[in-house]
Amino acid sequence: MSYQIPRTFQKLSVTKLTNKFQEAVEFVTCKTKLPGPKEVLVRNRYIGINASDINFTAGRYDPTVKPPFDCGFEGVGEVVSVGESHQKDFQPGQAVGYMLNGAFAEYTLVPGRSILPLPDVRPEYVTLMVSGLTAAIALDKVGKVKSGETVLVTAAAGGTGQFAVQLAKLAGCHVIGTCSSQEKIDFLKSIGCDRPINYKTENLNEVLKTEYPRGLDVIYESVGGETFEICVNRLAVKGRLIIIGYIAGYESEIGFKPTRNATLPQKVKGINFHFLALQNN
């Protein structure tokens, strides 16, 4: 299969550092470059939009990078051109995915080592990368979840939360999930969540304190603010608090909501910053 590669293409470029995405980016037209020896040119069909995109456009992940720069963390599409070193590995028309900055574009040059071959081009595969792998690595390698444990997933109906719910259930855990509507309650039940909690109609702290007095073994936390404080206070002895995000504060100037939990150092003695995980010993 051969492709007519256009001479130019469009992409989103970050031209201003701000957490307001629409103000941060502009459409720009670029000349299409053919892949180098170790690169693959991918035509993007589906891209992943993540809450952390606004942290990236605000310059929080790498303060040394100055505009303009590319954005977008993951994409799924088909190969249109292959560099010399990967002629035997990939073929034009082949379905692939990747996790690499620069996905918010019609075409992206991707190092061959970063290409993930896929059965076909479907949007479902986008969710398996940043969202799915975050949940899988966090629960297995950091949380070390075991059958019979009680696991809380905050923002459980969200992109990565729904993977965490299902993976924890597959591991044999009792799973609690927070959300904000009855529709999401129904969804969480449909994917196996044992105790969905609508924090708008139930008091999260009181539910956890009353129904789970022993505490929670593993918490997969992405909200921050008051929810983070509740999570710290509801950890069981030897409990593991995995922080994968702080979305309640992403739109603020500093990127998070300051905690009121002044006794945190006494409550959480061991800190593993490799994956932003707090472990209560």
Side-chain angles (χ1 to χ4, degrees), residues 76-98:
V76 165
E78 66 254 357
V79 173
V80 295
S81 185
V82 183
E84 183 179 351
S85 299
H86 291 289
Q87 292 288 328
K88 294 182 180 180
D89 302 319
F90 308 107
Q91 302 298 321
Q94 182 176 354
V96 295
Y98 64 90

Side-chain angles (χ1 to χ4, degrees), residues 134-135 138 154 160-161 220-223 242-246 250 275-276:
T134 297
T154 62
T160 189
Y220 188 77
E221 154 63 348
S222 62
V223 176
I242 308 167
I243 304 171
I244 60 96
Y246 228 70
Y250 283 0
F275 202 83
L276 292 179

Side-chain angles (χ1 to χ4, degrees), residues 40-228:
V40 175
L41 182 62
V42 176
R43 181 181 182 183
N44 294 312
R45 296 294 189 177
Y46 304 102
I47 56 174
I49 298 174
N50 296 279
S52 47
D53 288 328
I54 63 175
N55 282 336
F56 193 72
T57 62
R60 292 171 183 154
Y61 290 153
D62 186 356
T64 66
V65 177
K66 304 301 179 184
F69 55 84
D70 295 338
C71 55
F73 298 141
E74 55 189 340
V76 165
E78 66 254 357
V79 173
V80 295
S81 185
V82 183
E84 183 179 351
S85 299
H86 291 289
Q87 292 288 328
K88 294 182 180 180
D89 302 319
F90 308 107
Q91 302 298 321
Q94 182 176 354
V96 295
Y98 64 90
M99 291 181 290
L100 184 76
N101 184 42
F104 290 172
E106 292 180 295
Y107 292 85
T108 303
L109 279 173
V110 183
R113 68 178 184 274
S114 300
I115 293 287
L116 303 170
L118 298 173
D120 51 30
V121 176
R122 285 192 286 164
E124 290 86 349
Y125 292 126
V126 177
T127 66
L128 297 174
M129 294 187 287
V130 172
S131 293
L133 286 176
T134 297
I137 294 170
L139 292 177
D140 182 36
K141 303 302 182 182
V142 181
K144 301 184 185 301
V145 295
K146 299 184 289 291
S147 179
E149 290 189 315
T150 299
V151 176
L152 169 66
V153 179
T154 62
T160 189
Q162 59 185 281
F163 281 103
V165 168
Q166 294 174 83
L167 289 169
K169 282 300 297 180
L170 286 172
C173 301
H174 176 89
V175 182
I176 311 157
T178 70
C179 64
S180 61
S181 70
Q182 184 59 47
E183 181 181 9
K184 292 178 180 179
I185 288 282
D186 296 338
F187 170 69
L188 289 176
K189 289 179 179 179
S190 75
I191 60 173
C193 185
D194 298 292
R195 179 54 166 102
I197 301 173
N198 181 345
Y199 59 81
K200 290 188 175 181
T201 59
E202 295 187 88
N203 185 296
L204 175 60
N205 187 58
E206 289 302 316
V207 170
L208 296 177
K209 185 177 181 180
T210 302
E211 299 183 20
Y212 303 93
R214 189 187 64 81
L216 307 168
D217 299 302
V218 178
I219 302 175
Y220 188 77
E221 154 63 348
S222 62
V223 176
E226 182 181 357
T227 299
F228 169 76

